[in-house]
Amino acid sequence: MKKFNFALLILSALLVITLSACDTNLSSTLTWPLGNSTDRTINVNGSGSVVGEPDMATLNLGVSVLRKTVAEAREDAASAMTAVVKSLKTNGVAEDDIKTRNFSIYPQYDYTENGRVLRGYNVSNTVSAKVLDLDTLSKIIDDAAEGGGDSVVINSIQFSIEDPTPLQAQARSLAMKNAEAKAETLADAGGVRLGKPITITETTYTSGPPIAYAEDAALDADAGRTPTPISPGELTVTVNVSVVYEIE
């Protein structure tokens, strides 16, 4: 009798294993989690923005020279760039705040019916210069243009805030309040009680309007020229948050 019961037990076990192998849904159904509490959540996005005035600028400038030979192009570009860098330092830009960003030498061609014709060689040398005194920015640009002459290239001006931490903290607080208000509204409308945040994800960025140029400018009596008008405008620091709240 015991041998018969033992054989029956083995046969039953083999039958269960066979059914499990033939029907994959059986395994899924038995192991599917039930009553997962993390499904009871409210997901919202919040945003906060604070406006501040820029206190520094980064100039991207340099020289570009085209000559018949590489030697001529390199020599003239070196001379013009030396004058540009000297003007930056003379106007208070620290040497550590002047960094080479690109240097290249490449041939340029004209394309005609008879084929490709070498026009000459171009030497390009650009640097970035950090300006901490925005009141000197116009003079820095004008003196660099004068130093580099017809070879000078000024690619861009980027305004920024040297230490945006206080503005980011304000924007972050506003973003969380905005997210919480949205979550409370959803909870009230759904007839549930809002719990604590489970996860918080943040993204931060700074934006500003295009550089505005004044309509007129006073004549620079010392240099006998009209200064380049530059208006830094304002920058907006924005923090976006994605918050998952639990439902109590």
Side-chain angles (χ1 to χ4, degrees):
M1 189 58 145
K2 290 182 179 180
K3 292 182 178 180
F4 175 77
N5 290 338
F6 181 72
L8 182 61
L9 180 61
I10 294 176
L11 181 62
S12 299
L14 290 174
L15 181 60
V16 171
I17 294 173
T18 303
L19 289 174
S20 300
C22 294
D23 188 357
T24 56
N25 290 331
L26 177 63
S27 176
S28 298
T29 302
L30 292 175
T31 60
W32 192 263
L34 300 176
N36 191 347
S37 60
T38 58
D39 291 337
R40 294 175 51 81
T41 59
I42 295 177
N43 300 1
V44 294
N45 295 321
S47 181
S49 298
V50 179
V51 175
E53 294 184 359
D55 56 11
M56 64 174 287
T58 302
L59 289 176
N60 187 294
L61 74 167
V63 297
S64 180
V65 174
L66 178 66
R67 298 291 185 267
K68 291 294 185 181
T69 66
V70 171
E72 290 175 322
R74 191 215 60 80
E75 179 63 31
D76 289 352
S79 177
M81 195 62 187
T82 299
V84 169
V85 172
K86 181 180 178 180
S87 73
L88 292 174
K89 294 179 179 179
T90 300
N91 282 297
V93 180
E95 185 173 358
D96 290 343
D97 291 333
I98 303 174
K99 298 179 181 180
T100 299
R101 293 300 181 184
N102 176 68
F103 181 85
S104 62
I105 301 176
Y106 56 89
Q108 284 195 348
Y109 298 93
D110 289 327
Y111 293 87
T112 67
E113 295 180 353
N114 298 324
R116 191 175 68 171
V117 178
L118 179 65
R119 184 195 304 175
Y121 294 89
N122 181 273
V123 173
S124 177
N125 189 355
T126 59
V127 299
S128 65
K130 184 165 67 175
V131 180
L132 300 177
D133 185 0
L134 297 186
D135 291 336
T136 66
L137 185 56
S138 179
K139 188 174 188 303
I140 287 174
I141 292 173
D142 293 342
D143 287 352
E146 183 177 356
D150 293 338
S151 301
V152 74
V153 176
I154 299 180
N155 296 314
S156 64
I157 306 173
Q158 182 179 4
F159 293 102
S160 58
I161 298 172
E162 188 172 17
D163 182 15
T165 305
L167 295 178
Q168 290 174 351
Q170 296 178 42
R172 188 175 294 112
S173 178
L174 293 174
M176 284 301 298
K177 290 179 180 178
N178 180 241
E180 185 177 5
K182 290 181 180 180
E184 288 283 5
T185 300
L186 291 172
D188 290 343
V192 297
R193 184 177 177 181
L194 187 67
K196 296 180 179 180
I198 299 175
T199 62
I200 302 173
T201 304
E202 173 195 314
T203 57
T204 304
Y205 64 91
T206 303
S207 62
I211 299 172
Y213 293 88
E215 294 182 358
D216 57 347
L219 185 66
D220 187 340
D222 294 335
R225 65 191 181 191
T226 303
T228 299
I230 302 293
S231 298
E234 294 180 332
L235 296 177
T236 302
V237 177
T238 300
V239 173
N240 294 323
V241 294
S242 297
V243 187
V244 178
Y245 291 90
E246 64 179 356
I247 296 176
E248 293 183 350

